[in-house]
Structures are given as structure tokens and as C-alpha cells.
Amino acid sequence: AQGELIAAKTVAALLNNLNIKSAAIDSRTFLKTNDNFGNANINNELSEINTQEYFTKHNRNTTPIVTGFIASNNKNETTTLGRNGTNYSASLIADFLNIKNIESYTHVDGIFTANPEIVTNAKIIDQINYHEASELANFGATILHSKSIDPLINKNISLRILNTFNRDNKGTIINNTKTSKEIKSISTQENVALVNIIGKGLLGKKGIDARIFSRLSNINISVGIISQGSSERGVSFIIPKNKANAAKKELLDEFKYEISTQDIQGINSTDKVSVITIVGQNIAGFSSSLDYLKQNRIEILLINNTISGNNISIVIPKKNTRKAVNVIHSQVFGAIKTIHIAIVGKGTVGGSLITQILKSKEKIVSKKSIDLKVFAIAGSQKVLLNKNGITDNWENNYDLLNKNKNISKTIIDYAEKYHLENLIVIDNTASENFVGTYNDFIKNGFDVISSNKIANTQQY
């Protein structure tokens, strides 16, 4: 709480030095909560009365600099409002004082179609409604929290998210606009664990789900995405990562009899997973994305479609998160699709191909919305690598390289390390040995194109 108190006093002092009459306001005076320290719940009725009384008496010629995130209980002990608590404070005060617009200044330009740190061509969303914003918040959007949205709805308060460091930025506005059928955004959750209960002996038995969720509810574990196998032979679900051990312990105790009789064969969990949610996507339009995920050898551990049918969540291995988000984004938004190419053989044929790709690159992006990135060029003893794509001076860079004894493994490992999607290897050599590595490339998600005639003379 001290950081909020110091910040409010500092900002008020700075503004007063600029002859803008300001006063630091301690929100603990009027925002009242229960005793759930760290993630307190607001007493809306009492807080609204207190807030209106306080600001009725407040000098309206003075700009109030109000602390966010902090409140107090009935004993006047300091409580905090949990994640996104400052934005929540702003939403509550706007609701209580009938303020129609909130501007929230952050470190980004607004809400994007995907995390721009993962998807370089992600676009800003100009406008979304309260429901869509809540869904994004629930599924991992870090600049939003659903509890900050809820106070806005009753009085139709708009929230605009802006970038503190970009004055020209118009940001994203959240209001009661009608739901659009267009896909809105892709969000990710990585601090999660996948719990699996496997039991062929549960066939036909009732009440298994109730026992699972009741037991977990008793220790305040909220269950996320759920997938159930046929006739209750298996149940899988997502929970917070930091609750995985506690959940497993509770479930092993709950089902100790079924485990002893082998009705349940195992209860396990893994935190090496992430959840990707596409807000605004229905299952019917997601088939092409599923195909491309499979083509990129991204395993889907669990898939879930919401009751409304407009949000899809998939659970995948965490190591594939970046690649999967880029694959999905290029499909569902019709954005530029990146194809990563490794060219082996830089002689007459290979060199000509590299030149053609570099010269026609911009035209292909313009006409086909496909970005061809040559990320690897290999000769017989060296390999040049650049995850962002090689440039016109690639020959000079190649000449400066040291020898490499394992070209194929180097290319495959590099693509894996940087989560490169839509992979193609092109063989422009006459090497019998390199033909023998085709299967390795295919197993690692590469398509293979070959002008190597030896490839057609082998038995495999």
C-alpha cells in the first residue's frame, strides 16, 4: 500500500509545482472491503455511499489524485484489491460518481489482435464491447481484468486504453457496442497446469465430476477449461499452476478407493502447458487453423468451445506457444503468413533461387500476403542462420562463418529454438548424404522440396 500512497503524494506535489492545484486522496477513507487481505472484495453499497459523501465535500477546484489498489475493512485496516486493483478502483469510483468516461494509461497502444511481443504483425483493436473485454481478461489479457469491466456495465461507462508514451495513440475503447461477428483477439495463459484423471473403470458411474469439483472448491481452486472422455472414462481440466500440487493431493485422497480397485488408473498433472484462446471464433471456422497446427506438428492436448460458441480454447505444450499463436493469427485474421525457408546448396541453382526470392519478396507479400523468409543458407561445410531472414549481403556473411559438421541438425535445432512456423527445406545439392536427412526434416515439421536427382534413386 505504501507505493500507492507515496505515488499519489508525489504526483500531487508535481502538479502543484506546475500551478495545477491538486491534492492526494487516500481511497481507504471511502472504499470498504471484507477481510480477504491481498484480494479483498468491495462492499459496494457502503463504498458508494462513502464515495459520494466524500467527493460532495471535496473542493471541486482541486484536482484529486486518488490512490488505486488499496481500501480498508470495517476495522479501518488496510486491504488491497488484487491484480489490476488500480484500474478496478478507477472503475468503482466512476460507477459511484456517475462518471461516463475513463482513460487508462498503460505501456502499450491498446488491445491487440495478439500479443505484439509474440506476433509482430498484430493489429490494434479500435473498439470492443464489455463482454468481449471480459472474455479477453478471463483468458489471459494482462492489461485487463474482468473485475475492472463489471462496474462499467450498469451505467454504460466507456473505458479507453491508451499508451502513456505515445501521444498520437488513439488506443482501444471498451463500451456497450454490439457484438461483432469478426474475430477479436488471441490471448494466452501460461501459468496454468493440466490435470488428468484416467479411469476406464469409471464407465457408467455417476457423480465423478461433482466429487472432483466439490473437493477442489473446498480448497478454493477454480477449475478452468474442462474436457471429458466418453462415459466418464477420463476427465481433464485446467487450474492455476501454483495450485497443481494441492489439487493432486486432494484428488488422490478423494479417489483413494477407486485407485485401490483400479477403477482409476492415474491422477497426474503437468505445468508444461499453455492455453490459447481465440475470442470471437466459432468451431466451424477454426478447421483451417487446426490443419495448420497439425502441419506444424503442434499437439493439441485439449480443446474447448464455449456455450456461446464464439470462443475457442486449446491447450498445447508450452514450448509451442509462440509458434502456435503465429500460425493461428495468420489464419484467423487473414494476416500475412510467414513461411520460413532453409536452402541447402548455394551454387548456380541455389544461388539463383535465393536471388529470386529476395527480389520478389515484396511483390509476393503484396499480392499473396505471404512473407518468404530464408532463415538458413547452407553449403557443404557452413550454414548461415538468421531468424529474421537473410539479406542481400548474405554471401559476405557466409564467408565469415566457421565450418559446421552437422548442417541438418543445426538447421532443425535453430528452427526449434526460435519457434519458427511453416517450415520448408529446399535441397539444391547433388549430395547423397543430405538426401538421407529428409526424414529428419519431415519428422520435425519441415516440408521438403528437392531438385536433387539422387532423391529419386534411393530405396527410402
Side-chain angles (χ1 to χ4, degrees), residues 182-206:
E182 295 180 1
I183 297 157
K184 289 299 179 183
S185 186
I186 300 170
S187 62
T188 59
Q189 294 171 286
E190 296 192 355
N191 292 319
V192 296
L194 175 64
V195 178
N196 300 302
I197 301 177
I198 304 164
K200 294 181 180 178
L202 298 180
L203 177 61
K205 290 190 177 182
K206 297 180 180 179

CSV table of all heavy atoms in Angstrom, one decimal, residues 182-206:
chain,number,residue,atom,x,y,z
A,182,GLU,N,-16.9,-10.5,-36.2
A,182,GLU,CA,-15.5,-10.6,-36.5
A,182,GLU,C,-14.7,-11.1,-35.3
A,182,GLU,O,-15.0,-10.8,-34.2
A,182,GLU,CB,-14.9,-9.3,-37.0
A,182,GLU,CG,-15.5,-8.8,-38.3
A,182,GLU,CD,-14.9,-7.4,-38.6
A,182,GLU,OE1,-14.1,-6.9,-37.9
A,182,GLU,OE2,-15.4,-6.9,-39.7
A,183,ILE,N,-13.6,-11.9,-35.6
A,183,ILE,CA,-12.7,-12.4,-34.5
A,183,ILE,C,-12.0,-11.2,-33.9
A,183,ILE,O,-11.6,-10.3,-34.6
A,183,ILE,CB,-11.7,-13.4,-35.1
A,183,ILE,CG1,-12.5,-14.6,-35.7
A,183,ILE,CG2,-10.7,-13.8,-34.1
A,183,ILE,CD1,-11.8,-15.4,-36.7
A,184,LYS,N,-11.9,-11.2,-32.6
A,184,LYS,CA,-11.4,-10.1,-31.9
A,184,LYS,C,-9.9,-10.2,-31.5
A,184,LYS,O,-9.1,-9.4,-31.9
A,184,LYS,CB,-12.2,-9.8,-30.6
A,184,LYS,CG,-13.6,-9.2,-30.9
A,184,LYS,CD,-13.5,-7.9,-31.7
A,184,LYS,CE,-14.9,-7.4,-32.0
A,184,LYS,NZ,-14.8,-6.1,-32.7
A,185,SER,N,-9.6,-11.3,-30.8
A,185,SER,CA,-8.2,-11.3,-30.3
A,185,SER,C,-7.8,-12.7,-29.9
A,185,SER,O,-8.7,-13.6,-29.6
A,185,SER,CB,-8.0,-10.4,-29.1
A,185,SER,OG,-6.6,-10.3,-28.7
A,186,ILE,N,-6.5,-12.9,-29.8
A,186,ILE,CA,-5.9,-14.2,-29.4
A,186,ILE,C,-5.2,-13.9,-28.1
A,186,ILE,O,-4.3,-13.0,-28.0
A,186,ILE,CB,-5.0,-14.8,-30.4
A,186,ILE,CG1,-5.7,-15.1,-31.7
A,186,ILE,CG2,-4.4,-16.1,-29.9
A,186,ILE,CD1,-4.8,-15.4,-32.9
A,187,SER,N,-5.5,-14.6,-27.0
A,187,SER,CA,-4.8,-14.4,-25.7
A,187,SER,C,-4.2,-15.8,-25.3
A,187,SER,O,-4.6,-16.8,-25.8
A,187,SER,CB,-5.8,-13.9,-24.7
A,187,SER,OG,-6.8,-14.9,-24.5
A,188,THR,N,-3.2,-15.6,-24.4
A,188,THR,CA,-2.6,-16.8,-23.9
A,188,THR,C,-2.5,-16.8,-22.4
A,188,THR,O,-2.5,-15.8,-21.8
A,188,THR,CB,-1.1,-16.9,-24.5
A,188,THR,OG1,-0.4,-15.8,-24.0
A,188,THR,CG2,-1.1,-17.0,-26.0
A,189,GLN,N,-2.5,-18.0,-21.8
A,189,GLN,CA,-2.3,-18.2,-20.4
A,189,GLN,C,-1.2,-19.3,-20.2
A,189,GLN,O,-1.3,-20.4,-20.8
A,189,GLN,CB,-3.6,-18.7,-19.7
A,189,GLN,CG,-4.7,-17.8,-19.7
A,189,GLN,CD,-6.0,-18.4,-19.2
A,189,GLN,OE1,-6.6,-19.2,-19.9
A,189,GLN,NE2,-6.4,-18.1,-18.0
A,190,GLU,N,-0.2,-18.9,-19.5
A,190,GLU,CA,1.0,-19.8,-19.3
A,190,GLU,C,1.1,-20.3,-17.9
A,190,GLU,O,1.8,-21.3,-17.6
A,190,GLU,CB,2.3,-19.2,-19.8
A,190,GLU,CG,2.2,-18.9,-21.3
A,190,GLU,CD,3.5,-18.6,-21.9
A,190,GLU,OE1,4.5,-18.4,-21.2
A,190,GLU,OE2,3.6,-18.5,-23.2
A,191,ASN,N,0.6,-19.6,-16.9
A,191,ASN,CA,0.7,-20.0,-15.5
A,191,ASN,C,-0.4,-21.0,-15.1
A,191,ASN,O,-1.2,-20.7,-14.2
A,191,ASN,CB,0.7,-18.8,-14.6
A,191,ASN,CG,2.0,-17.9,-14.8
A,191,ASN,OD1,3.1,-18.5,-14.9
A,191,ASN,ND2,1.8,-16.6,-14.8
A,192,VAL,N,-0.5,-22.0,-15.9
A,192,VAL,CA,-1.6,-23.0,-15.7
A,192,VAL,C,-1.0,-24.4,-15.6
A,192,VAL,O,0.1,-24.7,-16.0
A,192,VAL,CB,-2.6,-22.9,-16.8
A,192,VAL,CG1,-3.4,-21.6,-16.8
A,192,VAL,CG2,-2.0,-23.2,-18.2
A,193,ALA,N,-1.8,-25.3,-15.1
A,193,ALA,CA,-1.5,-26.7,-15.1
A,193,ALA,C,-2.6,-27.6,-15.6
A,193,ALA,O,-3.8,-27.2,-15.5
A,193,ALA,CB,-1.1,-27.2,-13.7
A,194,LEU,N,-2.3,-28.7,-16.3
A,194,LEU,CA,-3.3,-29.6,-16.8
A,194,LEU,C,-3.4,-30.8,-15.9
A,194,LEU,O,-2.4,-31.5,-15.7
A,194,LEU,CB,-3.0,-30.0,-18.2
A,194,LEU,CG,-3.9,-31.1,-18.9
A,194,LEU,CD1,-5.3,-30.5,-19.1
A,194,LEU,CD2,-3.3,-31.5,-20.3
A,195,VAL,N,-4.6,-31.1,-15.4
A,195,VAL,CA,-4.8,-32.2,-14.5
A,195,VAL,C,-5.6,-33.3,-15.3
A,195,VAL,O,-6.6,-33.0,-15.9
A,195,VAL,CB,-5.5,-31.9,-13.2
A,195,VAL,CG1,-5.8,-33.1,-12.4
A,195,VAL,CG2,-4.8,-30.8,-12.4
A,196,ASN,N,-5.1,-34.5,-15.2
A,196,ASN,CA,-5.7,-35.7,-15.9
A,196,ASN,C,-6.1,-36.7,-14.9
A,196,ASN,O,-5.3,-37.1,-14.1
A,196,ASN,CB,-4.8,-36.3,-17.0
A,196,ASN,CG,-4.4,-35.3,-18.0
A,196,ASN,OD1,-5.2,-34.7,-18.7
A,196,ASN,ND2,-3.1,-35.1,-18.1
A,197,ILE,N,-7.4,-37.1,-15.0
A,197,ILE,CA,-7.9,-38.3,-14.2
A,197,ILE,C,-8.3,-39.4,-15.2
A,197,ILE,O,-9.2,-39.2,-16.0
A,197,ILE,CB,-9.1,-37.9,-13.3
A,197,ILE,CG1,-8.7,-36.8,-12.3
A,197,ILE,CG2,-9.6,-39.1,-12.5
A,197,ILE,CD1,-9.8,-36.3,-11.5
A,198,ILE,N,-7.5,-40.5,-15.1
A,198,ILE,CA,-7.7,-41.5,-16.1
A,198,ILE,C,-8.3,-42.8,-15.4
A,198,ILE,O,-7.7,-43.2,-14.4
A,198,ILE,CB,-6.4,-41.9,-16.8
A,198,ILE,CG1,-5.8,-40.6,-17.4
A,198,ILE,CG2,-6.6,-43.0,-17.8
A,198,ILE,CD1,-4.3,-40.8,-17.8
A,199,GLY,N,-9.5,-43.2,-15.9
A,199,GLY,CA,-10.1,-44.4,-15.2
A,199,GLY,C,-11.1,-45.1,-16.1
A,199,GLY,O,-12.2,-44.7,-16.1
A,200,LYS,N,-10.6,-46.2,-16.7
A,200,LYS,CA,-11.6,-46.9,-17.6
A,200,LYS,C,-12.6,-47.6,-16.7
A,200,LYS,O,-13.7,-47.9,-17.2
A,200,LYS,CB,-10.8,-48.0,-18.4
A,200,LYS,CG,-9.8,-47.4,-19.4
A,200,LYS,CD,-9.1,-48.5,-20.2
A,200,LYS,CE,-8.2,-47.9,-21.2
A,200,LYS,NZ,-7.4,-48.9,-21.9
A,201,GLY,N,-12.3,-47.8,-15.4
A,201,GLY,CA,-13.3,-48.5,-14.5
A,201,GLY,C,-14.4,-47.5,-14.1
A,201,GLY,O,-15.3,-48.0,-13.4
A,202,LEU,N,-14.4,-46.3,-14.5
A,202,LEU,CA,-15.4,-45.3,-14.2
A,202,LEU,C,-16.6,-45.4,-15.1
A,202,LEU,O,-17.6,-44.6,-15.0
A,202,LEU,CB,-14.9,-43.9,-14.1
A,202,LEU,CG,-13.7,-43.7,-13.1
A,202,LEU,CD1,-13.3,-42.2,-13.2
A,202,LEU,CD2,-14.2,-44.0,-11.7
A,203,LEU,N,-16.5,-46.2,-16.1
A,203,LEU,CA,-17.6,-46.3,-17.2
A,203,LEU,C,-18.9,-46.6,-16.5
A,203,LEU,O,-19.1,-47.5,-15.7
A,203,LEU,CB,-17.3,-47.5,-18.1
A,203,LEU,CG,-18.3,-47.8,-19.2
A,203,LEU,CD1,-18.5,-46.6,-20.1
A,203,LEU,CD2,-17.9,-49.0,-20.0
A,204,GLY,N,-19.9,-45.6,-16.7
A,204,GLY,CA,-21.2,-45.8,-16.2
A,204,GLY,C,-21.4,-45.3,-14.8
A,204,GLY,O,-22.6,-45.2,-14.3
A,205,LYS,N,-20.4,-44.9,-14.1
A,205,LYS,CA,-20.5,-44.4,-12.7
A,205,LYS,C,-20.9,-42.9,-12.8
A,205,LYS,O,-20.4,-42.1,-13.5
A,205,LYS,CB,-19.2,-44.6,-11.9
A,205,LYS,CG,-18.9,-46.1,-11.6
A,205,LYS,CD,-17.8,-46.2,-10.7
A,205,LYS,CE,-17.6,-47.7,-10.3
A,205,LYS,NZ,-16.5,-47.8,-9.3
A,206,LYS,N,-21.8,-42.6,-11.9
A,206,LYS,CA,-22.3,-41.2,-11.8
A,206,LYS,C,-21.6,-40.4,-10.7
A,206,LYS,O,-21.1,-41.0,-9.7
A,206,LYS,CB,-23.8,-41.2,-11.6
A,206,LYS,CG,-24.6,-41.8,-12.8
A,206,LYS,CD,-26.1,-41.8,-12.5
A,206,LYS,CE,-26.9,-42.4,-13.7
A,206,LYS,NZ,-28.3,-42.4,-13.4
